[in-house]
Amino acid sequence: MSVPCITIDGPAGVGKGTVSQRLARLAGWHYLNSGALYRVLGIQAQRSSLDFNDDVALAALAEGLQIQFRLDDGGASVMLAGEDVSDELVTESTGTAASKVASVPTVRAALLHRQRHFLQSPGLVAEGRDMGSVVFPTAGLKIFLDASAEERARRRCKQLKDNGLSGSLRAVLLEIQDRDKRDRERSVSPLFPAEDAIIIDTTALTVDQVMDQILELCGERRLFTAI
Ligand code: DC
């Protein structure tokens, strides 16, 4: 029997991380935060002063990326070659660097197999932009979360504050709109819902309400039942 997979895609700041981590914990499945791969690569590229247009050097960096994810009761942490980069990972400047390296076709090709490798028993919850459309096209449930850019900027500001960082609502909104445009208009794996994805507009919903809708779908499709 094939290993079950749920994909959660959507634009920046929509709450994919919160929902995906809760789902992975409830199901007892593995969790892939594909955005973190691009974010770590963005950090590494900046540290190495690489040109974001140098696709050969960026692909080589992506191939050799030493990244480890940890999901525990306290949350998720990300290690780059043994160093905890979780704090640096969540900044908007890292998000922008990630979005830039993610638009390079050779980088996406280099990271494809690494992402597919996460699909292991008993199951996988994978979040990102192209999880349902490209990386896991046969997933048993594909969710596309959406929300207005203003609401996503508000959520992102709150998340930054919770992490002890600051950001003005206006600056975050501009950054989100800029990133949306780049992610939606790039030539490879642009952000769009897979044909068979279920789109949930979360603008006026709480996290619990979003979770309820997804858990109902999981039950209907016999992926797992939350108790
Ligand atoms: O989900 P996030 O904000 O952590 O993602 C950071 C950037 O990485 C995002 O702007 C686009 C890119 N990304 C991508 O192109 N494909 C993915 N599957 C995940 C993220």
Side-chain angles (χ1 to χ4, degrees):
M1 219 181 85
S2 62
V3 178
C5 179
I6 299 172
T7 58
I8 313 276
D9 287 304
V14 78
K16 299 182 298 286
T18 308
V19 167
S20 309
Q21 286 174 36
R22 275 207 202 174
L23 207 55
R25 274 201 200 92
L26 272 172
W29 289 3
H30 299 283
Y31 162 62
L32 167 62
N33 175 0
S34 61
L37 287 176
Y38 292 100
R39 282 175 180 263
V40 169
L41 187 62
I43 291 175
Q44 186 74 298
Q46 280 176 321
R47 287 184 183 178
S48 316
S49 304
L50 275 192
D51 180 346
F52 285 129
N53 294 312
D54 188 343
D55 58 344
V56 175
L58 284 174
L61 206 61
E63 294 276 3
L65 209 59
Q66 286 181 45
I67 180 167
Q68 251 192 323
F69 292 105
R70 292 194 188 147
L71 188 60
D72 51 42
D73 292 341
S77 54
V78 180
M79 315 291 291
L80 168 61
E83 175 194 348
D84 190 338
V85 289
S86 310
D87 290 342
E88 199 176 339
L89 213 68
V90 295
T91 65
E92 283 306 297
S93 73
T94 298
T96 299
S99 171
K100 285 182 182 165
V101 296
S103 67
V104 179
T106 50
V107 163
R108 302 201 76 86
L111 291 180
L112 188 61
H113 294 291
R114 194 186 277 260
Q115 294 174 80
R116 290 195 172 143
H117 198 67
F118 280 80
L119 184 57
Q120 290 185 21
S121 181
L124 176 70
V125 178
E127 65 149 299
R129 302 290 187 289
D130 60 345
M131 297 295 97
S133 56
V134 175
V135 183
F136 301 108
T138 60
L141 177 61
K142 299 177 184 177
I143 302 288
F144 190 91
L145 298 180
D146 213 344
S148 70
E150 290 73 18
E151 175 59 21
R152 289 185 283 124
R154 269 192 291 278
R155 290 177 191 171
R156 191 62 110 190
C157 273
K158 183 179 178 307
Q159 190 188 30
L160 289 172
K161 222 183 234 167
D162 290 347
N163 282 301
L165 302 164
S166 63
S168 85
L169 189 60
R170 170 126 191 90
V172 172
L173 177 60
L174 288 176
E175 207 135 14
I176 276 187
Q177 286 170 332
D178 191 39
R179 202 131 69 85
D180 278 359
K181 186 167 157 46
R182 198 181 305 110
D183 293 347
R184 286 185 210 271
E185 292 180 359
R186 68 179 174 224
S187 61
V188 278
S189 301
L191 169 68
F192 75 95
E195 232 170 61
D196 48 350
I198 307 236
I199 300 172
I200 303 179
D201 186 339
T202 70
T203 306
L205 298 180
T206 64
V207 176
D208 284 345
Q209 287 171 325
V210 176
M211 282 300 294
D212 285 347
Q213 286 195 28
I214 297 178
L215 289 175
E216 201 176 315
L217 290 162
C218 288
E220 278 170 23
R221 297 187 185 199
R222 299 187 191 290
L223 285 163
F224 76 92
T225 313
I227 24 169

